[in-house]
């Protein structure tokens, strides 16, 4: 009995553990059943929503097929073709969605996870169908709105055309009046602008007439393109007429600019004559004198050239540019002469010193120095003489530098001869 009493607690513990394990297994199985039930309920909800989406997508495709005929009648075959391509893509997605729905209908025993995947894919395909058709419908709606707006804007376009035709007549009259005072060359730009305005007004009139004819033959016919062409042509004509209407002010401004250029040229000619008289470089002075001789006559008889202020202004500007270039050349030449004059005394002194050093070296190596060293020294003395009597500072400076160079060569040859005797 004592042994039985000893085992009793262990039996109680093992029994309790077994009961707990059995309860856990039962509870786990119940949880799995409930989870499966929830998954199945979710799958059924997704399937129900997918079926509703599938019906909506199918209706959208059917409506779009009918819309193709309307688009072709209203906008032509190209627009209908674009819409048809979109509908074909939508049909492909819809066929895939119907196949998945058939799989759902036939596979009642399929796992809930697989059914959820199929339902989600059906919803995604329906989204693609609806978005593609919605975008295509938005494009058509925008075109229809543009057509309605264009037709509504037609009266305003015709009124604008009428005003521009009136402006054109006034501009032509103004050009005729200006033609009595100014030359054809002065008015050529305005005449060209008037011709371009005529072309644009004619293009606008043609487009408006064609739009009216189409609407009269078949109300609702697309005419937005024609009316847009007319609007752009009228805008261009407006700009061209602005140029014609401003030509008188432009002529007056050019005349004032020409007067200013003439005054500036006169002052610069005075300064150029002074620079010519003081020029130390004969070539620069001659170039400056030639420019003065060519440009001075431009200031004479300007009243006879008043019929083309544009050409007169440009002619005087070009003259000022040429005179300024000649004056700049003379200034550069004078600066070069001044620089040479300043450097000449130092260059002569260097040449004299170098010739003296070379002469001493040659004297020391007198018995060994050959003709080369003596020739270099003689040439150095000759170049120094040229530098002293040359009136051109630049030429004198070059001669003095050559003298120093030849003397240096003579010294080197004398030293070489002494070392290798």
């Amino acid at each position: 009995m004592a042994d039985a009493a000893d085992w009793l607690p262990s039996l109680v513990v093992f029994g309790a553990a077994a009961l707990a394990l059995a309860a856990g297994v039962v509870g786990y199985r119940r949880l799995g059943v409930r989870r499966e039930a929830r998954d199945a309920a979710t799958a059924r909800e997704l399937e129900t929503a997918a079926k509703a989406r599938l019906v909506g997508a199918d209706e959208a495709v059917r409506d779009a097929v009918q819309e193709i005929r309307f688009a072709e009648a209203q906008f032509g075959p190209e627009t209908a073709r674009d819409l048809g391509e979109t509908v074909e893509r939508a049909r492909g997605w819809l066929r895939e969605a119907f196949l998945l729905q058939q799989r759902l209908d036939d596979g009642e025993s399929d796992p809930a996870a697989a059914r959820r995947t199929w339902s989600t894919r059906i919803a995604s395909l329906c989204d693609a169908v609806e978005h593609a058709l919605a975008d295509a419908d938005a494009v058509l709606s925008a075109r229809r709105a543009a057509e309605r707006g264009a037709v509504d804007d037609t009266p305003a376009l015709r009124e604008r055309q009428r005003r521009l035709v009136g402006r054109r007549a006034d501009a032509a009259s103004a050009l005729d009046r200006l033609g009595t005072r100014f030359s054809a060359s002065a008015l050529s730009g305005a005449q060209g602008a008037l011709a371009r305005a005529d072309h644009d007004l004619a293009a606008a009139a043609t487009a408006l007439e064609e739009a009216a004819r189409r609407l009269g033959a078949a109300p609702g016919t697309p005419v937005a393109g024609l009316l847009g062409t007319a609007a752009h042509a009228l805008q261009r004509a407006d700009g061209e007429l602005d140029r014609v209407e401003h030509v008188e002010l432009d002529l007056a401004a050019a005349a004032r600019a020409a007067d200013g250029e003439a005054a500036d040229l006169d002052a610069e000619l005075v300064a150029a004559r002074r620079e010519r008289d003081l020029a130390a470089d004969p070539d620069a002075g001659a170039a400056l004198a030639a420019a003065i001789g060519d440009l001075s006559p431009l200031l004479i008889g300007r009243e006879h050239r008043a019929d083309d202020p544009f050409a007169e202004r440009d002619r005087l500007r070009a003259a000022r540019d040429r005179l300024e270039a000649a004056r700049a050349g003379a200034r550069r030449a004078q600066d070069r002469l001044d620089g040479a004059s300043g450097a000449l005394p130092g260059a002569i002194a260097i040449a004299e010193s170098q010739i003296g050093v070379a002469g001493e070296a040659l004297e020391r190596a007198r018995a060994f120095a050959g003709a080369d060293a003596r020739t270099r020294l003689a040439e150095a003395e000759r170049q120094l003489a040229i530098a002293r009597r040359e009136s051109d500072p630049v030429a004198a400076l070059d001669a003095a530098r050559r003298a120093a160079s030849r003397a240096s060569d003579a010294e080197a040859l004398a030293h070489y001869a002494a070392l290798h005797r």
Side-chain angles (χ1 to χ4, degrees), residues 210-236:
E210 178 63 17
R213 185 191 66 76
R214 291 186 184 182
L215 289 174
T221 301
V223 293
L226 286 169
L227 296 178
T229 298
H232 291 152
L234 291 175
Q235 183 177 5
R236 291 193 300 268

Side-chain angles (χ1 to χ4, degrees), residues 354-367:
Q354 189 62 47
I355 288 173
V357 170
E360 293 174 359
L362 189 63
E363 186 65 28
R364 288 193 298 271
R366 182 174 179 180

